[in-house]
Every structure is written in C-alpha cells, then in structure tokens.
Amino acid sequence: MGVAARPDRLVSVPLAIVATLLAPTWAAQDSVAAPERYTPVVAVLERMVTREMADKHLPAVSLVLVDGQDIVWARGFGLARPRDSVPASAATVYRVGSVSKLFADIALMRIAQQGRLDLDAPITRYLPEYLRDSILAPLGMTHSAFFEPTADQAPDLAAAFMWASDGRRFPAPMLRRNEPSGALYTTVTDLGRFLVALFSDSNPVVHHSTLERMWAESLGFFVSRFDGHARVGHDGAIYGFATTFAALPDDRLGVAVVTTLDGANVVTDRIADAALRAMLALRADRTIPEPVVTDSLPSGFARRVAGRYRRGKGAVDLLERQGELWLSRDGSVVPARVRALGDSLTFDDVLAFGGSVRLPQDRVVVFGDSFTRTADPAPPAPPKRWNRFFGEYGWSYETLFIYERGGRLHALIEWVEDDPLTHVSDTVFAFPSSSIHVGERVTFRDARAGRATAAVAGAVVFPRREIGPQDGGQLRVTPLRPVAELLAEAQTATPPAESGSFHAPDLVDLVSLDSTIQLDIRYAGTNNFLGSVFYASARAFLQRPAAQALLRAHHRLRALGYGLLIHDGYRPWYVTKTFWDATPPEQRWMVANPALGSRHNRGCAVDLTIYDLRTGRPLDMGGTYDEATERSFPDYPVATDQERWNRELLRQVMEDEGFTRTVDEWWHFDYRDWRAYPILNRSFAELGAL
C-alpha cells in the first residue's frame, strides 16, 4: 500500500523517456491489407459497411480485425472530415467514449497486481500522468492519448456529428474530459494492438490471469455469450462518436468499430457482430454468413397505413416520411423506422434493429401488442400553467426539451431519452421509474414569476434557450447590403439558361378559384425576414395543375372547419436572387440558390398554413413563417400536441393532393410536376391582368 504514502513513485520517470523506452516502433498505418485467406471476410464486411453508411448516412467508419497475435485487416470508409474531403482510414483518430474505462480498469489492476493499491484512495491519485507511460506505451498504442489529442494526433482527428429527431445534423463539440472514463483519443489500429495484448500469454501490462479474473467477475468489461462463445468488450458513446470493442477471448478473435455519428452504437454493434461471425466461420471452414439486410417498403405502402392506432390508453402512430414508414409508440418524438425483412416487418435505423411489426387490416401489432386504427381528432389544449415551462434548455450540443405529449409534461434529453414527468410541486417534476434518470427531478427556476429561466435536471443546470420570437412576430435577418440596391441589381440580371422542353406557363390567381382562400403575402409588405417590399401587390399565383390541387386540399379542410392561408406562391427569379445576395452565408439554408432557380420561380411551390374558419385566425404551428431557427424543421419537437396535430394535418392534406413538404420548412410544399415548368422572371406588375 506504498502508493498511499509515496504517490510520486508513479511519476518518477519523465513520460517521454518511458514512452521511448517501452513503445514498439509501429508507425501510423492508413490501412492494413488482409491476408488472402481473409478475402471472403473482407468482402462481406465491405458490403455491409458501405450499405449501412449509405442507409444511415454515417460520415465515417473505421474498423480493425484481430486474429490471435495479428491485426489481419484495418481500414476506414467515408470522410473523416467531410468539410475538407479528408478520407477516413485506419489512422484516423477518434474519441471512443466509455471504451476508455477498460484502460482505467486495467491500470488499477496493474497497480493492484504490484501490491500498491489503496482501495480507499480516490482513483485520481493513481491515474493522471500514469495511463500513457504504464498502459498505452507498453501496449504499443503510440497514437493514443487521454484527455486531449496530442499535436501529432490533431491532423488525423475526425470530425463528429450530432443529430436531432427532426432531421437536423450539426458538428459535435470537442469538450475536454478531465476523467479517464471517456477521454481516450485513439485509432482502430491502436485498439487492434490492445486486442492483441488481451490475447497474449505474455501481456506487457497485466498478467493474463488478471485479465481472466476481470472477465470472470465482469470487472470493467461487459461479459456475455455470443453464438455460444464467451465475449468481452465495451461500447463507447460520446458527443458524436460511437464505438464497439468486442473480443472472443477463448477464440482469440476481436474487432473494433468506430463511427462519427452520435448514438449509432446499434450500427457499430451490428458491424462488429458480423465481423465476429465471419471470422468464426472462416476458422471453422464454413461459408461466411451474410448479415441480415432489410428492404424498403413497397411504393405507397407507408402512405396507406399511416395513421393513429389505439389499445386502451396506449397509442401507436404510423408516420409516413418521404415514402418511409416510422412508428411512434405512446407519442414518442423519437420514432423507429419500419422496414421489410422478407415477408415480415422489423425496425432498422440508427437507434434500433430487430423486433416484430405486423400490419393486418386496420391494425398494427408491435411485439405482440395489437393496436386498432382509430380517428385522430384535434387534441385539447394543455394546461395554461405549463406554458411557462415549455421550450428548450441547455446548449446546442446537449438540449433539454420540455413539451406536452398526451396530456402530460415531457422531457426530451439528448434527443433520444423521452420521459413523461410526474407532478411533485408547482415547479418540480419527477422522472418515471422507467427512465435512465429514475430518482431524479426537474426543477424550473423563476417559474413562479413567469417563464422559467432554467431547468435543473438532477445536478445539471440547463439555462433556457430563446428559440424564435416569443410574441409570435417575424424574425429578421440583417441583410449584407441594402435590399433596395440588391433588388435593383437583380432586376437587371439574367436567370440561368435551361435546356429541354417545358410546359407553357399558365399561372392562376389562387383567390380567383375560391374566395375563402386567405392571403397573408409577406413579400408585398415589410413583415418579412428582410423587412422590405418585393411584390407590387398582395397576390398568390401557381401553375394551373398545382392551383387545382391546392383547391382540392382547401375543400378538404373546409369540411373540417378550416381553410388555407397563403404566404407565397410564384416568386420572380430576381426576388430569389435578392434573397440570396442579402442573406448571410450561415443562414442561406433558408433561401434558394439563384444559380439553380427555385420551385417558387417555376410556379410550383407554395408557402402556407391553416386558419380556423370560425375565428379567421391561423392555427398555432409552434413556429412562425420564414423563421430562421430550428423550429422551422417540420418534425421539430414543438411544445404541444395541438401544434403537432396542426402540422400533421397540413402535411396530410397537401401530400394527398400531390405536394411534397421540404425537410427544413414546415410551411413549404412543392408540387410534383415542378420539373416540367421553366424558371420565370415575370414581375407581379406584369401579372396584374391575370
């Protein structure tokens, strides 16, 4: 127990000297070619990784295979830094999250093996300045580091990405971790060297008998059975990175897989499982098994079955999104994608794989629970006292959403943990027993006096994030130059040339079709994102087939007591160019590139919402028109069931008539024949006679 009295013994030799003495001279390798006998294994895995990356939109994947004392294959797929077009490789540096814990645990076992461990002392006494020289260097992991990447690692560091359930993706933060449990930066080849050491009878760090004890007692390692074989390993997930590290110690086969998409451990687990099965089959001289592959659903199938299904107080929503089917149980805002698997259906997306889904006539059966199709009337408004809680809290990379779902207050943490909250007191709510946060509470600060300024979940204080105008007004963008100057320049510019044949333009004034179609043409006044007038009159035009389809949607809504309110239809090309030239680059996602023209320019796009025929007021959509914030994404977790129901009603009636909603604006719909019409540049003054 000498360490308790002499902690300096652990750092008595400078790290650089120890690393030089102990580290094998292994250079960073972009890839490790497989021996000929491994060709069938590589072929299967390359197909699987390529397919999963395309299906799940994974930016980068790197993996390594170990057989006994050899790294038999290592390579990268995709782009480690997409912005710079840097390819991923076996030398790409990743953060591996909780896989780091294995090294901390082995470090402690090494100290215990040497008889120097004080079990009552804090772990931080032993680990700082120790992991690199006593663990990483002897293992040959010379391209690995704890806490932050070294200068040598920095050029090879991968960019990772976070995602939200509404479809957004954004760069993950590189927040420094001060504890070793999630702070390892490494490559898959270095993880391969760690696997080699685990299988070695002469492990340079700890005795093999110590490792066997760790596996037998589940010390640090996850221990399980895999196809009848003992399996050890660990998963890691940290701000945009997902890692699977798995080994079959009795067979001395191992694999490590890393990707740069947050929470994608289901995918890395499946790749690792396929690799282990392939290596076992190769060793047994069996045919390499192909991984299970799901298929897309038949065209139109998702649209036919979409709707609400109930079973007692429980409910399932089948959602159609761009031809795919998603299932949300009990109102979760994190649905699971449903795919075909032979003659059956199953789940397959970034967060889930497997399970049984059946769709007999007007029913859905999920894991044996049967739900019957039912009407989906407009939900009641939530209690007004909850308005002070609703909204976003925290930071862009770690956000807490508070919203209403099914008549209960909900908390959505990190975009995947969706929990109903139980009332404790006026401003305090508890997480349910099914939550990973069981036993913890959410306390809203300053909520007795008005809108909460922060939400305290457990011990973490999430400050309120102001998203969108709180008074329902129009958000503004500061133009790069005066709009009047840009508009004058655009009116003298020439639209992009187009080749091919197009339908003759036949623009129709929408109000002329039905006087109950209301207008709120923002670009005919100054109540728009640039605060300037662009149209000579407050009118809306569409190509005749699109206009007739919109009229049918309006009539469907009238039968329900609603109508359509139009913000914009046909837009002259010079206006699109002005929008582009005036908008800062970081916000140009909300405007079309004039070099390509827009669907508005073709008279086949419409911006609109729904209004109540009785009151004449627009329905609350949980965001305002032309709002340059996350709330504009159609599947953003808006505050109430009413807002979600309103958005879904608009989507359904428009898509049923041949329109398609864009992925980043809940109000924008394109007509299916937009490609058949040319880019137009006629001003509203020229259209005045229509």
Side-chain angles (χ1 to χ4, degrees):
M1 302 302 174
V3 168
R6 293 286 309 278
D8 57 304
R9 289 179 59 191
L10 296 178
V11 292
S12 58
V13 181
L15 299 183
I17 297 176
V18 174
T20 301
L21 293 173
L22 297 179
T25 56
W26 287 353
Q29 296 175 276
D30 287 341
S31 64
V32 176
E36 184 176 356
R37 66 190 178 90
Y38 257 81
T39 299
V41 172
V42 169
V44 166
L45 293 178
E46 285 182 333
R47 286 194 296 272
M48 181 184 189
V49 172
T50 301
R51 183 174 59 246
E52 289 298 302
M53 290 184 71
D55 184 55
K56 313 300 191 303
H57 306 292
L58 307 179
V61 171
S62 291
L63 74 163
V64 63
L65 305 185
V66 169
D67 187 335
Q69 292 299 288
D70 298 312
I71 294 177
V72 291
W73 187 49
R75 67 158 290 189
F77 299 77
L79 297 175
R81 293 199 300 278
R83 178 175 293 182
D84 303 321
S85 298
V86 176
S89 74
T92 297
V93 175
Y94 298 95
R95 301 179 76 185
V96 294
S98 291
V99 172
S100 311
K101 296 175 182 177
L102 297 180
F103 297 87
D105 293 331
I106 286 178
L108 292 176
M109 295 303 290
R110 174 182 170 87
I111 297 170
Q113 180 178 285
Q114 296 169 344
R116 298 185 293 143
L117 177 61
D118 180 356
L119 294 177
D120 296 322
I123 192 172
T124 52
R125 173 179 297 178
Y126 303 101
L127 294 179
E129 316 269 67
Y130 182 77
L131 285 163
R132 181 180 175 89
D133 61 332
S134 295
I135 304 297
L136 299 181
L139 292 173
M141 298 178 66
T142 55
H143 305 289
S144 302
F146 274 90
F147 307 119
E148 59 185 348
T150 64
D152 290 340
Q153 285 181 310
D156 296 318
L157 183 63
F161 297 88
M162 310 287 285
W163 59 276
S165 56
D166 55 28
R168 285 176 287 144
R169 288 201 178 187
F170 45 93
M174 280 295 180
L175 300 180
R176 178 174 175 175
R177 295 288 296 269
N178 293 320
E179 68 278 4
S181 59
L184 178 62
Y185 293 79
T186 189
T187 67
V188 292
T189 46
D190 268 16
L191 291 177
R193 288 161 193 149
F194 182 41
L195 285 164
V196 167
L198 294 183
F199 301 150
S200 174
D201 292 329
S202 55
N203 188 295
V205 175
V206 293
H207 299 150
H208 194 73
S209 59
T210 301
L211 287 173
E212 289 179 331
R213 177 190 169 192
M214 294 180 73
W215 299 334
E217 300 179 13
S218 298
L219 297 176
F221 290 85
F222 293 161
V223 179
S224 61
R225 303 292 294 177
F226 178 80
D227 294 352
H229 300 255
R231 172 175 174 154
V232 301
H234 215 292
D235 273 10
I238 183 169
Y239 293 129
F241 295 93
T243 305
T244 300
F245 179 87
L248 307 181
D250 296 338
D251 304 276
R252 302 197 175 193
L253 297 173
V255 59
V257 185
V258 193
T259 189
T260 51
L261 184 64
D262 194 63
N265 291 90
V266 165
V267 185
T268 56
D269 284 351
R270 290 188 62 228
I271 295 171
D273 288 352
L276 293 175
R277 288 194 176 98
M279 290 191 285
L280 286 169
L282 179 70
R283 182 170 289 180
D285 198 24
R286 301 193 309 267
T287 300
I288 307 298
E290 286 286 345
V292 173
V293 177
T294 64
D295 295 316
S296 58
L297 300 173
S299 177
F301 178 82
R303 192 76 185 132
R304 290 195 302 273
V305 301
R308 170 151 290 192
Y309 298 74
R310 286 193 176 278
R311 177 176 182 260
K313 293 184 179 180
V316 161
D317 291 303
L318 293 183
L319 311 170
E320 184 270 335
R321 298 290 183 265
Q322 287 79 49
E324 292 192 317
L325 184 64
W326 296 79
L327 186 148
S328 169
R329 189 161 184 175
D330 294 325
S332 172
V333 296
V334 190
R337 187 178 62 163
V338 179
R339 299 265 290 174
L341 182 59
D343 295 331
S344 61
L345 301 174
T346 192
F347 296 113
D348 182 9
D349 58 40
V350 171
L351 297 178
F353 185 85
S356 170
V357 181
R358 294 190 292 114
L359 288 169
Q361 184 68 30
D362 291 329
R363 288 189 299 130
V364 57
V365 183
V366 187
F367 297 111
D369 294 336
S370 181
F371 298 78
T372 302
R373 191 162 195 158
T374 184
D376 185 21
K384 289 185 178 180
R385 65 181 181 276
W386 288 355
N387 290 341
R388 55 193 168 144
F389 306 140
F390 292 149
E392 292 189 22
Y393 300 82
W395 309 269
S396 61
Y397 57 87
E398 190 167 348
T399 307
L400 166 64
F401 295 86
I402 299 295
Y403 60 99
E404 177 252 349
R405 172 75 76 172
R408 297 189 66 179
L409 201 65
H410 274 241
L412 177 66
I413 300 180
E414 295 183 341
W415 297 280
V416 295
E417 177 68 16
D418 184 11
D419 294 318
L421 301 177
T422 300
H423 178 267
V424 175
S425 67
D426 185 48
T427 59
V428 179
F429 296 80
F431 284 98
S433 59
S434 59
S435 171
I436 62 173
H437 305 288
V438 60
E440 297 181 355
R441 296 180 174 185
V442 177
T443 302
F444 295 97
R445 288 186 174 175
D446 304 319
R448 288 189 174 89
R451 294 173 72 243
T453 60
V456 184
V460 180
V461 179
F462 292 81
R464 179 181 283 279
R465 303 183 72 220
E466 295 296 353
I467 303 295
Q470 301 308 309
D471 59 359
Q474 176 70 56
L475 278 187
R476 296 292 174 88
V477 169
T478 302
L480 295 174
R481 288 172 51 200
V483 172
E485 292 181 9
L486 295 172
L487 188 58
E489 292 175 5
Q491 287 173 319
T492 64
T494 302
E498 295 185 285
S499 60
S501 60
F502 298 96
H503 294 332
D506 184 14
L507 293 172
V508 175
D509 186 328
L510 296 180
V511 174
S512 69
L513 299 177
D514 189 322
S515 61
T516 62
I517 295 177
Q518 286 196 2
L519 300 182
D520 179 15
I521 307 300
R522 301 289 179 89
Y523 301 123
T526 58
N527 185 25
N528 55 62
F529 77 108
L530 288 172
S532 300
V533 177
F534 296 91
Y535 298 161
S537 58
R539 301 176 72 186
F541 305 89
L542 286 181
Q543 300 290 357
R544 188 171 298 277
Q548 291 170 340
L550 182 134
L551 181 63
R552 293 193 296 271
H554 178 68
H555 287 166
R556 284 187 56 192
L557 286 171
R558 282 185 60 182
L560 300 174
Y562 305 110
L564 289 177
L565 184 151
I566 312 300
H567 291 304
D568 199 19
Y570 162 70
R571 181 182 302 160
W573 177 84
Y574 70 84
V575 175
T576 294
K577 177 170 171 54
T578 305
F579 288 175
W580 181 266
D581 293 341
T583 303
E586 64 272 14
Q587 293 174 299
R588 281 180 175 163
W589 62 269
M590 63 179 292
V591 295
N593 187 341
L596 304 175
S598 82
R599 295 159 198 185
H600 279 292
N601 302 153
R602 302 176 190 275
C604 287
V606 61
D607 297 342
L608 77 174
T609 189
I610 297 174
Y611 77 95
D612 189 314
L613 288 174
R614 182 178 55 85
T615 65
R617 299 182 60 183
L619 302 187
D620 189 352
M621 295 288 181
T624 61
Y625 172 59
D626 261 3
E627 182 180 312
T629 76
E630 298 91 334
R631 297 198 310 183
S632 295
F633 282 77
D635 294 318
Y636 175 84
V638 289
T640 71
D641 278 343
Q642 276 192 345
E643 293 167 350
R644 277 182 289 278
W645 190 89
N646 294 342
R647 287 191 179 197
E648 188 65 13
L649 176 62
L650 177 63
R651 184 191 70 83
Q652 287 180 355
V653 297
M654 293 298 289
E655 290 187 352
D656 284 349
E657 300 302 336
F659 290 88
T660 301
R661 186 175 63 181
T662 61
V663 297
D664 50 17
E665 295 175 341
W666 60 261
W667 60 81
H668 180 114
F669 290 83
D670 298 317
Y671 188 61
R672 61 188 171 209
D673 291 340
W674 65 267
R675 294 179 182 84
Y677 291 89
I679 295 171
L680 300 176
N681 201 23
R682 299 173 64 185
S683 70
F684 273 36
E686 295 177 79
L687 297 174
L690 290 180

